[in-house]
Amino acid sequence: MATLLETPDLVALADAATTRAAAALADAQRPDGHWVFELEADATIPAEYVLLRHYLGEPRAVELEAKIGRYLRRIQGAHHGWPLFHGGAFDISASVKAYYALKMIGDDVDAPHMAAARRAILAAGGAEAANVFTRIQLALFGAGPWKAVPTLPVELILLPRWFPVHLSKMSYWARTVIVPLLVLAAKQPVARNPLGITVDELYTGRAKPPESKAADTKRGWTMFFNGLDVVLKGVEGLWPKRLRARAIQRCVDFTVERLNGEDGLGAIYPAMANSVMMFDCLGYAEDHPHRAIARKSVENLLVVKDDEAYCQPCVSPVWDTALAAHAMLEAGGVENEARADAALEWLRPLQVLDVKGDWAEQRPDVRPGGWAFQYNNAHYPDLDDTAVVVMAMDRAAPRSGADYRAAVERAVEWTMGLQSKGGGWGAFDADNHHHYLNNIPFADHGALLDPATSDVSARVVSMLGQLGEPLDSPRMREALGFLEREQTADGSWFGRWGVNYIYGTWSVLCALNAAGVDAQSAMVRKAVAWLVAIQNKDGGWGEDCDSYDLAYTGHTPAPSTASQTGWALLALMAAGEVDLPAVERGVRYLAETQAEDGLWGQEMYTGGGFPRVFYLRYHGYPKYFPLWALARYRNLKRSNDRRVTVGM
């Protein structure tokens, strides 16, 4: 009888699983060469979509609303409210919006699921306890008071860059969401709301200030900004009309320049929806080109199925395509490599070469050269996607003969131009680390900034290492110094854009290997020991979104997932541990949990949006990461050289 860790059988098992998974992933590729999978968030975005239609007074989409209603009811939690991720705790803001949307759709407030949700909401402090963006949504419907919304005057957009509170000091996503919102807050329009539905029953009558989810609030700054909010509310009606009109026009100009066609402002739902409402309140007709294209961009985010429908927060084609290409390159073989080549040819023209986006505010002398996350988002390419695309192109070129040199060189030039002080990289901007801004009452979501993070910095280091950057070059030394400082006491790294320490540790161990850091170094050994220590008994790895809790004290076991197991395996193999028993157990877990269709199921959310506020379920993650890990295991076990020679 074969033993659990008998390597030849396990290699054959991994090979067979790789073959099935690669075939299934190939079937999901679009005819033009790209992949794009669903990107699911919580109840918030579908609920906001329903409310947007009623805000605008659009004709009832009865069938669509019924499908969204079924989706919202299905994801209602056992706590009777709505969580931020699958199996998560009750969240007051998501619950208020989901309840309001269901009531708008036509659910009877006395139906069991609505009555139970209402009781849970009231027990948690009622609508008064919701976050700032929910308060704004309620205020726009006349279903909540504007006085409960922290003031952010539209004149903010006219302030000079040196001013402590300036849009250029905020993250790209905050910038694109806030600019049209400034106009809405100044105009304070009321939704058409043809059915006249409000949610008075969700209020307790007890006011409650917003609670920040930021990790680094300071009492002094908080008191200062709270005091400033009182002053701003006091002078709200005193702003000169000319100045206000100029500020509103500047907001419109900002939005129009970045409308981004059918891909929308910032290519993210909240910014798109706000731009539609802004154009509406300024009197733009439905068929005005700016308003019409903004409204179409929102519609493009819908996922409509036979029984259910929901609205995505954005789409992820560049990210999905680049990562799937890596998995296919690892799987190897003529067919799989041809699939990867087609994907890279699809990606090639999406490189942004002619638009100096918002990142140029901080680095005006740097030439553009990155890739965005979505189909189009020229003002906002990101370092993470860019590094992943470059590594795939560099890996494929020697075999395929494709000439990616110009694209790679330009991408590296742009990426290096956005290295932040301290050696790391943020996702979209350089030196976006004005942490005092997280104390603004408006910033209760705690994600106003885009500072350098371990995972994005690691991805860039992986790219540099794969391209042959010397270990002792100044920029590599600075980057590695940043990563060393970011390692936690237990040996792991924080994952800003993936859940969480498993994601961060995978990212960094791949980077350290690519850069040429000794696998026996204390930094690597400590990380390996942590990954081995947190492996689940079933052989997989798991971590849930509660690991972002501000009170986090160490890993708490969570059910194994296919994507996190893939990350852990890739991390350990990058650290030179292909023969480790933990790796063999992980490989067997993936091989034995593979579904009949060659893929893996995964309801757990393993993508990051805003820690503690917004999480993502990438439907593609359990499709390409397990394939990638199994193929790498097979390849390394069959190779004379057990070292991973690429950056990811």
Side-chain angles (χ1 to χ4, degrees):
M1 177 182 285
T3 62
L4 176 65
L5 302 180
E6 197 167 350
T7 304
D9 287 345
L10 193 56
V11 173
L13 195 64
D15 181 49
T18 294
T19 300
R20 291 195 301 274
L25 187 59
D27 287 343
Q29 190 174 25
R30 302 293 178 96
D32 62 2
H34 84 286
W35 280 274
V36 63
F37 298 101
E38 292 176 43
L39 184 59
E40 187 177 0
D42 55 72
T44 303
I45 303 296
E48 287 184 3
Y49 173 82
V50 171
L51 294 174
L52 175 64
R53 294 189 67 100
H54 288 261
Y55 173 90
L56 297 170
E58 295 178 346
R60 292 291 301 277
V62 176
E63 184 178 348
L64 176 61
E65 285 189 357
K67 290 183 176 184
I68 293 175
R70 282 193 284 274
Y71 172 84
L72 291 173
R73 289 180 215 108
R74 178 175 63 79
I75 65 172
Q76 188 173 9
H79 40 56
H80 306 302
W82 282 264
L84 295 179
F85 56 91
H86 179 73
F90 172 91
D91 182 78
I92 184 68
S93 300
S95 298
V96 168
K97 287 182 180 177
Y99 177 96
Y100 199 173
L102 286 172
K103 185 177 180 182
M104 194 72 81
I105 287 169
D107 284 21
D108 187 333
V109 295
D110 293 322
H113 69 286
M114 295 291 280
R118 184 167 60 253
R119 287 193 296 271
I121 290 168
L122 292 171
E128 293 97 334
N131 62 22
V132 168
F133 288 118
T134 304
R135 295 174 189 217
I136 293 171
Q137 187 87 67
L138 293 170
L140 287 169
F141 276 82
W146 277 103
K147 67 181 181 181
V149 177
T151 301
L152 212 55
V154 68
E155 289 77 11
L156 172 69
I157 200 166
L158 301 176
L159 293 172
R161 280 194 76 242
W162 54 261
F163 199 78
V165 181
H166 191 270
L167 287 167
S168 69
K169 292 180 169 66
M170 301 176 189
S171 62
Y172 120 70
W173 55 87
R175 216 173 294 142
T176 54
V177 169
I178 285 173
V179 169
L181 204 53
L182 293 175
V183 177
L184 293 171
K187 292 286 190 179
Q188 297 189 2
V190 178
R192 290 175 181 79
N193 191 8
L195 301 178
I197 292 175
T198 57
V199 284
D200 296 349
E201 67 273 20
L202 297 185
Y203 284 88
T204 66
R206 297 183 296 275
K208 189 173 182 180
E211 291 184 2
S212 177
K213 301 288 187 180
D216 52 1
T217 54
K218 301 290 186 292
R219 187 167 181 270
W221 277 114
T222 299
M223 291 176 65
F224 169 76
F225 283 119
N226 284 339
L228 181 60
D229 185 56
V230 173
V231 173
L232 289 171
K233 278 183 165 51
V235 302
E236 178 56 33
L238 304 178
W239 293 96
K241 290 183 178 178
R242 255 190 182 172
L243 185 67
R244 176 137 293 193
R246 186 155 66 92
I248 289 173
Q249 187 57 49
R250 183 74 64 84
C251 289
V252 171
D253 293 343
F254 175 97
T255 301
V256 169
E257 181 186 339
R258 296 161 178 78
L259 265 183
N260 199 31
E262 288 191 6
D263 294 281
L265 177 62
I268 52 176
Y269 176 86
M272 296 178 194
N274 288 347
S275 70
V276 175
M277 290 188 286
M278 179 193 75
F279 288 131
D280 177 70
C281 84
L282 292 175
Y284 285 61
E286 286 185 33
D287 60 354
H288 186 285
H290 297 333
R291 175 174 165 170
I293 199 74
R295 182 65 185 85
K296 179 66 166 64
S297 72
V298 172
E299 214 65 15
N300 290 345
L301 295 176
L302 288 175
V303 174
V304 182
K305 302 181 180 180
D306 291 341
D307 294 323
E308 292 185 347
Y310 72 93
C311 188
Q312 301 172 101
C314 62
V315 290
S316 54
V318 170
W319 188 240
D320 283 331
T321 300
L323 292 170
H326 275 279
M328 292 303 246
L329 289 170
E330 193 70 43
V334 174
E335 174 64 21
N336 295 331
E337 289 170 347
R339 296 278 185 176
D341 293 342
L344 294 176
E345 287 305 311
W346 181 84
L347 286 166
R348 189 202 291 260
L350 296 185
Q351 186 176 23
V352 181
L353 300 171
D354 56 350
V355 176
K356 279 200 167 187
D358 288 8
W359 53 265
E361 286 271 350
Q362 190 68 26
R363 299 294 166 85
D365 297 327
V366 175
R367 293 196 301 168
W371 276 265
F373 181 78
Q374 303 90 348
Y375 286 106
N376 292 292
N377 198 9
H379 278 81
Y380 306 107
D382 70 274
L383 285 300
D384 212 355
D385 278 271
T386 300
V388 173
V389 172
V390 166
M391 284 187 276
M393 286 181 166
D394 176 73
R395 182 174 182 179
R399 172 196 48 77
S400 69
D403 187 359
Y404 296 119
R405 285 173 298 179
V408 167
E409 288 169 7
R410 188 69 174 267
V412 171
E413 178 186 336
W414 178 72
T415 303
M416 292 304 97
L418 267 68
Q419 188 171 20
S420 293
K421 294 169 186 172
W425 283 265
F428 298 89
D429 289 292
D431 298 324
N432 193 263
H433 49 214
H434 305 279
H435 293 288
Y436 61 88
L437 292 177
N438 274 330
N439 298 275
I440 296 175
F442 197 89
D444 65 335
H445 60 308
L448 200 66
L449 306 175
D450 180 21
T453 61
S454 299
D455 45 0
V456 177
S457 301
R459 209 82 67 227
V460 177
V461 168
S462 285
M463 178 191 75
L464 291 175
Q466 182 174 312
L467 295 175
E469 181 83 9
L471 184 63
D472 60 353
S473 74
R475 60 194 185 191
M476 184 67 95
R477 281 203 311 270
E478 288 180 13
L480 291 173
F482 172 82
L483 293 176
E484 187 170 12
R485 293 190 299 274
E486 289 290 302
Q487 189 173 27
T488 66
D490 64 13
S492 65
W493 279 271
F494 180 78
R496 167 64 181 81
W497 297 100
V499 181
N500 171 352
Y501 294 94
I502 296 175
Y503 183 88
T505 304
W506 158 62
S507 303
V508 177
L509 284 180
C510 287
L512 297 180
N513 172 68
V517 173
D518 187 353
Q520 298 307 311
S521 68
M523 186 163 43
V524 174
R525 290 298 97 201
K526 201 172 181 182
V528 167
W530 179 79
L531 280 171
V532 171
I534 67 162
Q535 186 176 25
N536 287 333
K537 289 182 179 179
D538 62 10
W541 278 264
E543 180 181 11
D544 71 23
C545 303
D546 285 332
S547 61
Y548 288 103
D549 195 308
L550 292 175
Y552 178 81
T553 56
H555 179 77
T556 299
S560 297
T561 70
S563 58
Q564 289 168 324
T565 300
W567 298 337
L569 289 172
L570 291 167
L572 290 170
M573 288 186 280
E577 298 292 352
V578 67
D579 296 320
L580 201 67
V583 169
E584 296 178 319
R585 287 196 297 273
V587 168
R588 187 172 289 278
Y589 168 82
L590 287 181
E592 293 180 347
T593 56
Q594 187 178 28
E596 296 253 341
D597 63 0
L599 300 173
W600 289 262
Q602 181 180 298
E603 288 190 285
M604 304 298 287
Y605 283 43
T606 59
F610 306 145
R612 297 171 293 281
V613 176
F614 190 69
Y615 304 104
L616 297 167
R617 178 189 176 192
Y618 285 87
H619 286 228
Y621 277 14
K623 294 177 172 62
Y624 39 74
F625 282 118
L627 162 61
W628 195 341
L630 289 168
R632 176 153 298 166
Y633 175 79
R634 176 203 63 188
N635 295 344
L636 290 175
K637 294 294 282 188
R638 288 177 173 175
S639 171
N640 293 325
D641 182 3
R642 298 296 178 86
R643 180 176 177 271
V644 176
T645 59
V646 289
M648 291 181 74

